[in-house]
Amino acid sequence: MLLLFSVILISWVSTVGGEGTLCDFPKIHHGFLYDEEDYNPFSQVPTGEVFYYSCEYNFVSPSKSFWTRITCTEEGWSPTPKCLRMCSFPFVKNGHSESSGLIHLEGDTVQIICNTGYSLQNNEKNISCVERGWSTPPICSFTKGECHVPILEANVDAQPKKESYKVGDVLKFSCRKNLIRVGSDSVQCYQFGWSPNFPTCKGQVRSCGPPPQLSNGEVKEIRKEEYGHNEVVEYDCNPNFIINGPKKIQCVDGEWTTLPTCVEQVKTCGYIPELEYGYVQPSVPPYQHGVSVEVNCRNEYAMIGNNMITCINGIWTELPMCVATHQLKRCKIAGVNIKTLLKLSGKEFNHNSRIRYRCSDIFRYRHSVCINGKWNPEVDCTEKREQFCPPPPQIPNAQNMTTTVNYQDGEKVAVLCKENYLLPEAKKKKKKKK
């Protein structure tokens, strides 16, 4: 009887081994089976058996279902159980990509386009979704760039001449053969290249007619019927409007450079900040953009600064100071090459004292006033050349602000971005001399 049972058992096992197929127990990287603890992980699974599995956080099955069904077949598990990494990024810092905000799976590759002057790590152009996440962080970092040596017309001379130019370098132009420059007299190297465009040189240039009308603004000077080449006019916006773009335009060979725009200002100012030892006439906010308010100091206090403060783009301009009259500082004059009108060199002058002086080698007289221990303007015989910056650059993805006008040190230019673009940090470029 025992011998007969053994023969039947061996025969059944032999039959199963010859006709049936067993699947290995599924081991899913970054995944787990439903009720996995109920199974023996070392056993094999017969054909037709059905399991369900899910994936860890940040991983998903190819079907993207929370629970995915797999079946043991003669070819193995169907579909093949696996968990894929999910990758995404909300935006690209200093660049852009059509994949921003989308979810990608392990194995996908996306293209990143960095802004000029920026690049991905190792200068990659594409990034891939791998098991650990993105193969390269989707961040465009600043690349210390250089500008190419400019190729200029034969009659245009540029200084200084170098083998290479770094970001921040300035080129100044002049014309040979007594020709007339058309365009900017200087350009600057930026991360995105030279800006503005290089000038040309011509034998004859055209004049311009009256400057164009500015909506919600006007020309500061008296308008003329004709303006010569390189003449400049400046615009102001109406109250409650602020100017965007260069406020000065220039006649360049018969055409005016780009006109600025006046944008209605909706930001208002709140309560007037408190002035220590001073006061203002009481009134109720809000205050519209461009509104000015007079401030005063109490008796026995002197005002240092402007007695008017103005609401500009939702912010009050700087308050003056009120200083006790007995604490006001005096001013002195020093310098062997300075001659005052009454030859008072070395003596002290009270607050608000005004003097007229001239320098030893200059006949023209100058004026200054003592303001709490400091001369305004400074009493100085050093000849200082007026400092100018090159015209502001045409920033990528900004509205057209092409200009050939130079700007004095400290002047500001408002920048207006194209639709769907934002200018980070500041909204104005402050011109600094190089």
Side-chain angles (χ1 to χ4, degrees):
M1 183 65 181
L2 181 59
L3 179 60
L4 180 59
F5 177 77
S6 298
V7 171
I8 294 174
L9 181 60
I10 293 172
S11 175
W12 178 82
V13 172
S14 175
T15 302
V16 172
E19 298 179 1
T21 302
L22 297 176
C23 298
D24 291 331
F25 190 84
K27 294 180 180 179
I28 308 168
H29 195 39
H30 298 297
F32 53 91
L33 294 174
Y34 180 76
D35 288 340
E36 184 171 346
E37 62 277 5
D38 294 341
Y39 301 99
N40 181 359
F42 301 104
S43 64
Q44 290 185 309
V45 181
T47 302
E49 190 74 26
V50 173
F51 284 170
Y52 290 86
Y53 77 96
S54 190
C55 296
E56 298 173 355
Y57 179 70
N58 275 339
F59 289 84
V60 68
S61 68
S63 69
K64 300 181 182 178
S65 303
F66 186 77
W67 291 108
T68 301
R69 173 186 171 126
I70 55 174
T71 305
C72 177
T73 68
E74 293 183 355
E75 290 77 25
W77 289 106
S78 179
T80 302
K82 57 184 175 181
C83 289
L84 303 174
R85 173 71 185 228
M86 292 189 296
C87 302
S88 66
F89 52 85
F91 64 94
V92 179
K93 186 176 181 180
N94 302 315
H96 65 278
S97 172
E98 294 182 356
S99 297
S100 295
L102 303 178
I103 295 177
H104 292 271
L105 298 184
E106 189 175 332
D108 289 350
T109 298
V110 301
Q111 183 183 30
I112 302 289
I113 300 175
C114 292
N115 296 341
T116 306
Y118 293 82
S119 65
L120 289 175
Q121 184 178 313
N122 301 323
N123 290 320
E124 298 284 348
K125 302 295 182 185
N126 301 309
I127 61 175
S128 300
C129 181
V130 297
E131 184 181 343
R132 68 176 186 278
W134 289 112
S135 56
T136 299
I139 299 173
C140 297
S141 302
F142 171 67
T143 303
K144 189 175 182 180
E146 294 184 349
C147 291
H148 62 81
V149 176
I151 300 174
L152 304 172
E153 294 183 359
N155 292 317
V156 180
D157 183 52
Q159 295 292 338
K161 290 181 170 57
K162 298 181 180 181
E163 293 184 358
S164 63
Y165 296 89
K166 297 180 180 178
V167 171
D169 285 349
V170 174
L171 272 179
K172 294 186 179 294
F173 300 100
S174 59
C175 290
R176 302 185 179 100
K177 301 179 181 180
N178 295 321
L179 296 176
I180 303 171
R181 175 178 45 81
V182 176
S184 171
D185 68 347
S186 58
V187 298
Q188 190 164 4
C189 175
Y190 297 90
Q191 294 93 335
F192 46 82
W194 293 107
S195 187
N197 294 329
F198 300 133
T200 60
C201 293
K202 291 186 175 182
Q204 292 183 338
V205 290
R206 297 167 295 166
S207 58
C208 295
Q213 295 285 348
L214 176 62
S215 179
N216 300 309
E218 60 183 2
V219 176
K220 291 181 67 173
E221 303 87 1
I222 298 176
R223 293 168 61 91
K224 302 187 298 183
E225 290 301 315
E226 186 177 4
Y227 290 78
H229 172 70
N230 277 344
E231 273 199 86
V232 174
V233 297
E234 185 174 345
Y235 286 89
D236 267 343
C237 290
N238 298 338
N240 297 333
F241 287 82
I242 59 173
I243 200 160
N244 270 318
K247 62 182 178 181
K248 302 173 185 177
I249 64 171
Q250 188 174 34
C251 173
V252 179
D253 194 21
E255 296 184 358
W256 290 102
T257 54
T258 304
L259 195 67
T261 56
C262 291
V263 180
E264 188 171 9
Q265 182 49 250
V266 295
K267 289 185 179 179
T268 58
C269 292
Y271 285 97
I272 300 170
E274 184 177 349
L275 175 62
E276 190 174 12
Y277 307 118
Y279 62 92
V280 297
Q281 295 298 328
S283 57
V284 180
Y287 298 87
Q288 299 296 324
H289 169 80
V291 171
S292 296
V293 177
E294 183 179 2
V295 296
N296 300 277
C297 290
R298 299 177 189 170
N299 293 333
E300 300 183 356
Y301 284 85
M303 182 173 291
I304 309 298
N306 199 325
N307 70 332
M308 302 290 289
I309 61 172
T310 305
C311 175
I312 301 294
N313 196 16
I315 300 174
W316 289 107
T317 54
E318 186 178 3
L319 280 171
M321 292 176 57
C322 293
V323 179
T325 52
H326 69 276
Q327 293 179 335
L328 290 170
K329 299 176 182 177
R330 292 182 167 189
C331 297
K332 291 183 179 181
I333 292 180
V336 294
N337 63 338
I338 296 176
K339 296 180 180 179
T340 62
L341 180 62
L342 301 176
K343 297 183 179 180
L344 298 176
S345 180
K347 294 191 177 182
E348 294 185 345
F349 296 81
N350 291 328
H351 172 73
N352 267 345
S353 295
R354 297 176 182 273
I355 64 168
R356 187 170 69 148
Y357 72 96
R358 71 180 179 87
C359 300
S360 300
D361 54 349
I362 301 174
F363 179 77
R364 180 172 54 88
Y365 278 97
R366 301 176 179 182
H367 298 80
S368 187
V369 58
C370 176
I371 303 294
N372 194 28
K374 294 183 179 180
W375 291 108
N376 184 26
E378 184 181 354
V379 176
D380 186 12
C381 281
T382 305
E383 280 299 308
K384 297 178 180 178
R385 295 183 62 186
E386 202 167 16
Q387 298 287 343
F388 288 94
C389 295
Q394 178 58 55
I395 300 173
N397 302 316
Q399 292 190 11
N400 186 11
M401 53 184 290
T402 304
T403 180
T404 56
V405 181
N406 292 332
Y407 277 71
Q408 293 182 357
D409 181 32
E411 283 192 281
K412 295 180 179 179
V413 179
V415 177
L416 192 62
C417 294
K418 292 180 180 178
E419 190 175 358
N420 297 325
Y421 286 89
L422 292 174
L423 186 66
E425 299 178 3
K427 290 187 179 179
K428 290 187 177 180
K429 292 190 70 63
K430 188 170 183 179
K431 306 306 293 178
K432 282 291 185 182
K433 60 178 179 285
K434 288 288 179 181

